[in-house]
Amino acid sequence: MNFEGFQLTGKNALVTGSYRGLGAAIAVALARAGANVGCHGRDSKYAPACEEIHRAGSKTFYHLADLADPKSYASLIEKTISEFGSIDILVNNAGTIRRSPAAEYPAEYWNELITVNLTAVFQLSQLAGRHMLDRGKGGKILNIASLLSFQGGILVPAYAAAKGGVAQLTKALANEWASKGINVNAIAPGYMATENTEALRNDPVRSRQILERIPAARWGEPSDIAGAAIFLCSSASDYIHGHVLAVDGGWLGR
Ligand SMILES: NC(=O)c1ccc[n+]([C@@H]2O[C@H](COP(=O)([O-])OP(=O)(O)OC[C@H]3O[C@@H](n4cnc5c(N)ncnc54)[C@H](OP(=O)(O)O)[C@@H]3O)[C@@H](O)[C@H]2O)c1
């Protein structure tokens, strides 16, 4: 295998939740590897990642959609196809988290988390998958799972349930689509320094407990995800299907 296997030139990608955090880092990384990358968010300001993608010499656009509303899903896939002509890579990154003791966990938190973190992943994959199947040229679907795809977490029952579902959905879709040249895989990020983990990092006790358990002895940065994302979106990973790759500083091995 030479490094050409990691090139994404000529590929068209959509990264959900790419206004900030891990999604922005993934979107920019895919563009630097050569892909055109559509960005998505809810903030009406132009996504900073789009500027970086332009600088990398790739095409981009920015599309607003609230993934808590399933009626918004088709527009995201349609926008990508109308801007770029096709969708070769879908990265289901957007996700949210709400913390509360299970006994008091509000139904509206549960419904929002399951919709944004799991239903959107399935329905966007279904829409992109249909397009990839119809085209007959394969494709890559990369889901952003979590350590809580393997573990239960504390105070986050809906997040753990949704991310556990993302890992299982990754395998279920891979089983159906692997023979059609569509790779469905996931990355399970460890504890990364983004807004998603701000509450944990601001809690001195939880922050210390988490850091003590990470063999790499530091929180992850969004850029730590980039290499794994390029790999799982490129032909270098063509024989990898239904895998959940931990990028966690060694957490799960401990
Ligand atoms: N950070 C970690 O340690 C960690 C660990 C494991 C897994 N993850 C997962 O990694 C992914 C990215 O998280 P992050 O750490 O980068 O978090 P983040 O900084 O909070 O970014 C989350 C992204 O998802 C978008 N999003 C949230 N709710 C949405 C909705 N209803 N509709 C549309 N977009 C929505 C956000 O859009 P806005 O900018 O509009 O809010 C934002 O772009 C998530 O799936 C998360 O669960 C993160």
Side-chain angles (χ1 to χ4, degrees):
M1 173 66 61
N2 60 29
F3 286 106
E4 279 170 25
F6 295 84
Q7 291 302 310
L8 299 179
T9 308
K11 300 297 183 189
N12 299 317
L14 170 68
V15 182
T16 67
S18 39
Y19 186 83
R20 59 190 163 89
L22 304 185
I26 293 168
V28 171
L30 298 187
R32 290 188 180 147
N36 298 317
V37 186
C39 294
H40 151 258
R42 287 175 303 173
D43 198 307
S44 59
K45 295 194 295 292
Y46 194 59
C50 290
E51 305 288 349
E52 294 287 323
I53 293 166
H54 269 307
R55 269 198 286 279
S58 292
K59 289 191 219 161
T60 188
F61 64 83
Y62 180 54
H63 188 75
L64 294 176
D66 183 353
L67 298 187
D69 177 7
K71 289 194 289 296
S72 73
Y73 302 163
S75 73
L76 251 175
I77 302 299
E78 284 161 10
K79 174 78 176 170
T80 310
I81 295 168
S82 73
E83 289 281 333
F84 296 156
S86 67
I87 176 163
D88 305 293
I89 297 166
L90 168 66
V91 182
N92 284 306
N93 165 79
T96 190
I97 194 162
R98 299 225 185 246
R99 295 179 172 85
S100 169
E104 287 101 50
Y105 205 81
E108 59 266 33
Y109 281 12
W110 176 271
N111 292 333
E112 180 197 11
L113 267 279
I114 297 298
T115 304
V116 174
N117 291 9
L118 183 57
T119 305
V121 175
F122 174 61
Q123 293 191 355
L124 289 169
S125 298
Q126 188 180 45
L127 291 163
R130 280 183 197 143
H131 166 79
M132 292 170 183
L133 290 168
D134 287 347
R135 264 183 101 219
K137 293 187 172 179
K140 303 275 177 181
I141 296 176
L142 175 60
N143 298 324
I144 303 305
S146 168
L147 294 179
L148 300 196
S149 298
F150 307 99
Q151 304 174 320
I154 299 166
L155 304 178
V156 287
Y159 186 85
K163 292 296 186 179
V166 167
Q168 292 304 92
L169 177 62
T170 298
K171 295 170 215 168
L173 296 179
N175 290 341
E176 284 200 46
W177 294 344
S179 66
K180 315 291 182 199
I182 301 171
N183 299 78
V184 187
N185 288 296
I187 289 175
Y191 286 88
M192 318 297 284
T194 67
E195 283 183 38
N196 177 291
T197 53
E198 201 170 7
L200 292 178
R201 283 178 291 115
N202 288 340
D203 177 336
V205 176
R206 288 287 289 129
S207 177
R208 179 181 49 76
Q209 289 170 338
I210 287 167
L211 196 55
E212 278 173 357
R213 207 204 126 144
I214 301 174
R218 65 172 177 87
W219 285 69
E221 294 296 329
S223 58
D224 286 313
I225 294 287
I230 291 171
F231 171 56
L232 291 173
C233 292
S234 73
S235 63
S237 60
D238 276 354
Y239 200 58
I240 297 177
H241 294 280
H243 187 67
V244 184
L245 175 62
V247 180
D248 65 350
W251 173 282
L252 281 179
R254 184 139 176 178

